[in-house]
Amino acid sequence: MTAAVLCGGRSKRMGFDKAFLMDEQHYLLLETARSLKRLFEQVVLVSDTKSKFAGVEGFEEFGILEDRYIQKGPIGGVSTALEQIQTEYAFIMACDMPLMNLGLIDRMYRKLGREQVLLCSHGEKLEPLFAFYHKSCLPAFRKQIEEGQLKLRSAFSELQVGTYCLSEAEISAITNLNTPEDVERWGRNILKK
């Protein structure tokens, strides 16, 4: 299995590139990628451009896949990863999830059967950017891109999709940071610990 972290979004609500979110001293993306290396032999970053990481210390540790579907959102990043990885499945996550839980990823992996997609659910909410995707999803995703249907979940009706129901204790793992206010709240919570 390969882990791929999507880090090519426009981050309009954040006001700056979320690939460079930091805690006190470290890039969140680097901490996430290094943690994923404990579970996955291969960890790659999917970005709109490789050049943004040039000269930024630490990023040379990871393969960086340049998004082949510019400005197509997460479906483009997921498709880019699935096209270029050497394994059957990729675990895909967004770069703005500071509370990633390796135990949860392992439990999801153990639940994985014949599904083409295995994603987290909580109530009615599905989290497509903390999920396992099989390479066989590619035709459905490419079709969606060609038709301008850029929501990942729009292709789910054509795929075998399974869900991992999150417990209350696991929900924080899918928390993402979309705005400066989210970052401020997250920073305050870190300081409390």
Side-chain angles (χ1 to χ4, degrees):
M1 296 244 178
T2 302
V5 185
L6 304 187
C7 50
R10 288 182 284 169
S11 310
K12 284 192 279 188
R13 288 185 286 167
M14 185 63 77
F16 66 90
D17 192 332
K18 289 195 279 188
F20 298 106
L21 271 170
M22 294 184 85
D23 63 11
E24 305 253 313
Q25 302 163 325
H26 304 96
Y27 291 111
L28 174 60
L29 174 55
L30 277 179
E31 289 182 12
T32 297
R34 286 174 179 150
S35 292
L36 287 168
K37 273 192 156 185
R38 288 189 260 164
L39 281 184
F40 298 93
E41 202 170 301
Q42 258 198 324
V43 178
V44 296
L45 310 179
V46 182
S47 176
D48 52 346
T49 174
K50 290 182 181 183
S51 62
K52 72 181 180 183
F53 297 110
V56 184
E57 190 177 337
F59 287 99
E60 69 281 351
E61 294 174 39
F62 300 96
I64 299 171
L65 308 180
E66 206 156 71
D67 197 338
R68 293 181 174 177
Y69 303 92
I70 298 298
Q71 295 186 358
K72 300 299 183 188
I75 196 169
V78 172
S79 298
T80 295
L82 292 176
E83 285 175 0
Q84 295 186 54
I85 63 171
Q86 303 302 309
T87 56
E88 289 297 306
Y89 277 94
F91 174 74
I92 305 279
M93 69 173 287
C95 69
D96 62 353
M97 296 178 152
L99 304 172
M100 179 205 44
N101 180 326
L102 293 178
L104 169 59
I105 297 168
D106 185 54
R107 288 187 292 279
M108 289 175 69
Y109 170 75
R110 291 174 192 283
K111 185 181 188 302
L112 192 59
R114 296 182 182 272
E115 300 94 344
Q116 291 172 284
V117 181
L118 179 66
L119 61 155
C120 294
S121 68
H122 180 65
E124 297 295 310
K125 182 179 176 0
L126 297 176
E127 181 47 76
L129 295 184
F130 198 89
F132 286 92
Y133 290 90
H134 192 272
K135 285 180 89 107
S136 62
C137 295
L138 267 170
F141 291 159
R142 286 180 181 141
K143 181 180 168 206
Q144 293 290 121
I145 291 169
E146 284 169 18
E147 294 173 354
Q149 299 290 327
L150 302 182
K151 290 192 181 215
L152 274 165
R153 64 190 75 207
S154 297
F156 289 172
S157 61
E158 298 177 36
L159 301 169
Q160 291 178 307
V161 178
T163 56
Y164 177 96
C165 297
L166 293 170
S167 69
E168 289 298 320
E170 294 170 327
I171 294 170
S172 62
I174 62 168
T175 299
N176 59 358
L177 306 176
N178 289 312
T179 65
E181 293 75 27
D182 292 343
V183 174
E184 192 176 314
R185 272 193 300 277
W186 169 61
R188 281 198 306 265
N189 289 336
I190 287 176
L191 292 173
K192 284 180 194 172
K193 291 178 179 175

